[in-house]
Amino acid sequence: LICCDLFWKIKMFSGPLEIKTCLCGRDCLHAGDTCSSDDTCSPRLRTLRQCVAGDGSMKLGPGARSQCENAMTALLSTPLHGCQCKRGMKREKNCLSIYWSLHQSVLHGLSLVESYPYEPEERGSDYVRLASIAAATESEVTTVNRCLDAAKACNIDETCQKLRTEYVSACIQPSARSGPCNRPKCNKALRKFFDRVPPDYTHELLFCPCTDTACAERRRQTIVPSCSYEEKDKPNCLVQLRDCKQDYVCRSRWAQFQYDCEASEHSASGCKRENHGSCLLAYTGLIGSTITPNYLDNSTSNVGPWCSCAASGNHREQCNDFLAFFHDNICL
Ligand SMILES: *[C@@H]1O[C@H](CO)[C@@H](O)[C@H](O)[C@H]1NC(C)=O
């Protein structure tokens, strides 16, 4: 407790200096449980959760607002401040609901430290090494279909093979109610695959380099887009994003993606945080969500969600910014 207390104090007063891990670190679920069993903390958390009920856009009267701010300020000196969640963890949604209680826009001014919902993943690092080895040999082996090799590699790994079979069968199964497939079931299985299988496999499958359309078509088909991606019509991107933000998991995946894939022209990798591996990881975190991205065709490596900015009215700029995060992002 002393360690955590000290950690949060440092984190609160260190400004832009980033301290990423705490040896006694707790996720929001644990922090929430600890808080709930504390007579001082518990009512404050309850108050705060009422303040941000719904999507947090509720207009608060001046009295309620100050009550909310007091609760928030008090909670900043508990382990709740700075708590995060693990992607794919048990009760992920509950964990994220606590995270967002402290990060809702209504009380935005009080959030002192730049934050993102998910704990950094250690397991992202190996892929970066593998990818750089792969890049070096890429030009020499143009006849080899790396996407095919990745599929073979996945078949040899027990978890990869099992969860890939699971999502493929979930995504191609016809559904009596909703027609050619059961999209929610397909999405759930896709999320399980990308949350549980090590990126060594998933990233090789999804980001394999291609020089011909056969390879690129195979790569585009990885997520069974006919079920998980395409629809008859293209919805407006901002409508899609709004739906995403109403779900704690989707909202968090999107927030994480924005954080990890923030581009910078001044960095060697193109990524502001110089961590291309975690950007790719955040990208796969979006698969199976409302804003699932995929390759747009089989002749380029362009990716984006299945949506359009055509009918955006006076929100066009905002809509284009959303799409640009996929289409023109040097980090991604
Ligand atoms: C590439 O996409 C085009 C347009 O969707 C399609 O007609 C073509 O068959 C695809 N190529 C391959 C090799 O699958």
Side-chain angles (χ1 to χ4, degrees):
L1 270 175
I2 292 168
C3 166
C4 278
D5 194 39
L6 185 64
F7 172 71
W8 300 122
K9 283 201 176 105
I10 293 170
K11 197 160 167 149
M12 279 173 68
F13 295 112
S14 62
L17 184 73
E18 256 192 81
I19 302 162
K20 284 222 164 116
T21 50
C22 174
L23 288 176
C24 47
R26 288 177 174 186
D27 62 45
C28 295
L29 215 47
H30 280 106
D33 286 346
T34 309
C35 178
S36 294
S37 59
D38 180 290
D39 291 342
T40 326
C41 193
S42 179
R44 286 171 176 159
L45 180 58
R46 215 175 314 124
T47 302
L48 187 66
R49 297 194 74 156
Q50 280 161 6
C51 298
V52 298
D55 62 358
S57 58
M58 186 179 58
K59 291 269 181 295
L60 296 169
R65 193 179 167 88
S66 86
Q67 222 181 10
C68 292
E69 284 175 357
N70 288 346
M72 174 80 174
T73 309
L75 290 172
L76 287 178
S77 55
T78 71
L80 280 169
H81 181 214
C83 71
Q84 291 173 303
C85 302
K86 287 191 187 72
R87 183 168 138 188
M89 71 191 281
K90 272 201 184 122
R91 297 171 66 209
E92 179 178 350
K93 212 170 236 185
N94 295 38
C95 185
L96 291 168
S97 80
I98 294 172
Y99 173 86
W100 285 109
S101 296
L102 284 97
H103 293 92
Q104 292 280 16
S105 51
V106 254
L107 303 165
H108 198 71
L110 282 166
S111 173
L112 300 182
V113 181
E114 186 181 34
S115 180
Y116 43 98
Y118 292 107
E119 290 174 15
E121 296 251 2
E122 304 297 336
R123 58 179 200 161
S125 56
D126 255 11
Y127 174 71
V128 176
R129 186 181 54 83
L130 288 175
S132 56
I133 294 167
T137 54
E138 188 183 330
S139 55
E140 298 154 28
V141 284
T142 47
T143 52
V144 176
N145 186 334
R146 284 267 308 275
C147 301
L148 201 55
D149 289 348
K152 286 180 196 157
C154 178
N155 276 336
I156 297 169
D157 180 80
E158 199 184 326
T159 312
C160 191
Q161 193 270 342
K162 179 171 163 271
L163 297 185
R164 185 153 167 265
T165 310
E166 254 179 47
Y167 85 68
V168 170
S169 76
C171 297
I172 60 174
Q173 234 167 53
S175 147
R177 248 181 348 134
S178 52
C181 79
N182 185 336
R183 179 173 285 213
K185 196 174 159 203
C186 168
N187 280 343
K188 194 172 169 211
L190 276 169
R191 285 200 302 272
K192 193 168 159 193
F193 178 75
F194 285 105
D195 287 350
R196 304 235 181 119
V197 177
D200 292 9
Y201 296 105
T202 56
H203 290 195
E204 274 294 327
L205 269 177
L206 198 61
F207 306 123
C208 46
C210 287
T211 51
D212 60 74
T213 54
C215 171
E217 180 64 19
R218 189 184 179 93
R219 184 173 65 178
R220 195 182 73 81
Q221 293 288 345
T222 305
I223 64 164
V224 198
S226 59
C227 187
S228 67
Y229 183 65
E230 294 152 10
E231 281 178 273
K232 218 165 84 216
D233 301 309
K234 274 194 177 174
N236 183 274
C237 297
L238 292 179
V239 173
Q240 221 182 39
L241 185 60
R242 194 194 59 207
D243 290 347
C244 172
K245 286 184 176 169
Q246 262 149 32
D247 171 75
Y248 281 125
V249 176
C250 190
R251 177 202 292 195
S252 305
R253 302 298 173 96
W254 166 240
Q256 192 71 29
F257 177 64
Q258 284 177 290
Y259 180 84
D260 283 329
C261 296
E262 190 178 344
S264 163
E265 283 170 11
H266 308 294
S267 75
S269 61
C271 303
K272 190 172 171 199
R273 323 229 182 259
E274 294 286 14
N275 194 339
H276 187 234
S278 63
C279 172
L280 296 182
L281 206 57
Y283 174 91
T284 66
L286 290 173
I287 294 172
S289 78
T290 318
I291 54 169
T292 294
N294 193 28
Y295 294 96
L296 301 178
D297 52 53
N298 60 24
S299 48
T300 65
S301 305
N302 298 337
V303 293
W306 181 264
C307 66
S308 134
C309 286
S312 300
N314 46 12
H315 295 294
R316 174 164 296 240
E317 202 176 327
Q318 199 189 347
C319 189
N320 288 340
D321 286 349
F322 169 74
L323 270 189
F325 210 87
F326 294 90
H327 293 179
D328 303 303
N329 185 333
I330 52 169
C331 175
L332 181 61

